[in-house]
Amino acid sequence: MRIINIINLKGGVGKTTTALEMGYILHHKYGYSVLLVDNDKQGNLSRGMDLYTDSGICPTARLLSGEPVQDLIHRDGIDTIAANMSLLTATYRLTSGAAANATGRYRGLRKARTRTGNHTTT
């Protein structure tokens, strides 16, 4: 399994487009299993995968809260864990309080990585 993170604090630099295109190419051209995790409260990757909903707590927020990753993946060729504005509240909760405690909570993503099987995570 390979994990690819596309990160930049600046908006409008092509992070979402890069993730979508890379996932598409890895899956459709090379036959890899791909898991895209939308970790942006705006949910543009989720919109690109036609999975965005503005109601309820999004799967990425639920993942960060400790829910089993298997229950959160939308499986349709390229597997996706979607996001929306509820991710803002989940991120705030993770980062509030003692730094050590917040760091420990981010381990939910590491655990999720080991439970997804043979996926490339972006």
Side-chain angles (χ1 to χ4, degrees):
M1 174 176 39
R2 297 268 179 358
I3 297 174
I4 302 168
N5 293 296
I6 302 167
I7 302 169
N8 192 321
L9 294 177
K10 178 155 179 17
V13 296
K15 298 179 297 283
T16 300
T17 301
T18 300
L20 285 169
E21 292 298 318
M22 189 180 293
Y24 182 88
I25 290 168
L26 288 171
H27 179 70
H28 291 287
K29 184 173 182 181
Y30 296 104
Y32 287 101
S33 295
V34 175
L35 172 64
L36 297 174
V37 179
D38 191 351
N39 196 29
D40 184 353
K41 66 188 177 301
Q42 292 176 325
N44 289 327
L45 186 139
S46 301
R47 291 176 203 272
M49 296 297 291
D50 200 27
L51 297 174
Y52 184 85
T53 178
D54 59 0
S55 62
I57 299 173
C58 69
T60 302
R62 293 171 36 209
L63 174 67
L64 292 174
S65 297
E67 287 191 35
V69 67
Q70 304 91 320
D71 300 339
L72 304 172
I73 298 172
H74 180 270
R75 299 182 188 277
D76 185 22
I78 297 175
D79 295 343
T80 308
I81 300 179
N84 64 19
M85 285 302 288
S86 68
L87 187 56
L88 181 63
T89 303
T91 303
Y92 175 76
R93 286 183 182 152
L94 282 173
T95 57
S96 64
N101 191 22
T103 302
R105 292 181 191 161
Y106 275 106
R107 290 193 180 111
L109 285 175
R110 179 179 288 163
K111 289 178 187 175
R113 176 183 72 188
T114 61
R115 291 185 229 142
T116 58
N118 295 325
H119 285 92
T120 300
T121 309
T122 59

